Amino acid sequence: MTMLILDRVWINRLDTGEAVAAKSWDRSPTYDMDGEVRTYAGGRQRSITTEGERGAFSFTLRKLPLATVEVLRSWKGIAVQVRDHRGQSWVGVYFQVTPKEPLTTPGAPGGYWWDVDLTVRTVTPPEEG
């Protein structure tokens, strides 16, 4: 029997289908909405919310070559689909790429490897046409 082990995050551009995949850690989705608590007569407190939910998916891509970091930088503000190792999927955009110091020493085989932090803010996916 064959076993498939998924251990990566995949990022695909929606317009071209180009892809980047890397091992990841620190994956954490968050969901929030606009709202506040207002005080009314007699000290009553009520929740006032705005319809709609915002989502974000933060993660760190591990051991990327500099060329892949540059690709991710060029995709800022472009709609992407992100899939994780559990099969969860998000459509969104990111506006910041945060590379961390290289993991290897100069002259080492394979050159430098970078860890990159991304936060994808979810958007409504385009309708199939």
Side-chain angles (χ1 to χ4, degrees):
M1 177 165 78
T2 303
M3 178 185 280
L4 176 64
I5 299 174
L6 302 175
D7 63 352
R8 298 181 180 269
V9 165
W10 292 267
I11 304 172
N12 295 82
R13 280 182 59 155
L14 289 180
D15 58 350
T16 65
E18 292 176 81
V20 168
K23 290 190 177 195
S24 69
W25 64 285
D26 239 5
R27 293 176 297 273
S28 51
T30 58
Y31 304 97
D32 67 349
M33 65 187 308
D34 289 327
E36 63 181 290
V37 174
R38 291 187 186 163
T39 303
Y40 291 94
R44 292 185 317 252
Q45 306 250 319
R46 298 289 184 256
S47 171
I48 306 299
T49 58
T50 303
E51 189 174 337
E53 180 181 66
R54 285 189 305 258
F57 182 54
S58 300
F59 53 94
T60 300
L61 298 173
R62 303 272 299 149
K63 295 187 177 181
L64 297 176
L66 185 58
T68 303
V69 175
E70 295 299 322
V71 167
L72 291 170
R73 288 180 58 198
S74 72
W75 292 359
K76 288 190 310 276
I78 295 173
V80 295
Q81 179 183 36
V82 179
R83 291 173 290 137
D84 71 0
H85 70 288
R86 293 183 188 99
Q88 299 176 98
S89 176
W90 295 267
V91 174
V93 296
Y94 59 88
F95 302 104
Q96 181 175 349
V97 176
T98 309
K100 296 179 182 174
E101 286 293 320
L103 300 175
T104 59
T105 57
Y112 290 110
W113 296 97
W114 300 80
D115 283 354
V116 176
D117 292 333
L118 289 177
T119 298
V120 175
R121 295 184 52 196
T122 60
V123 298
T124 303
E127 293 184 19
E128 300 288 327

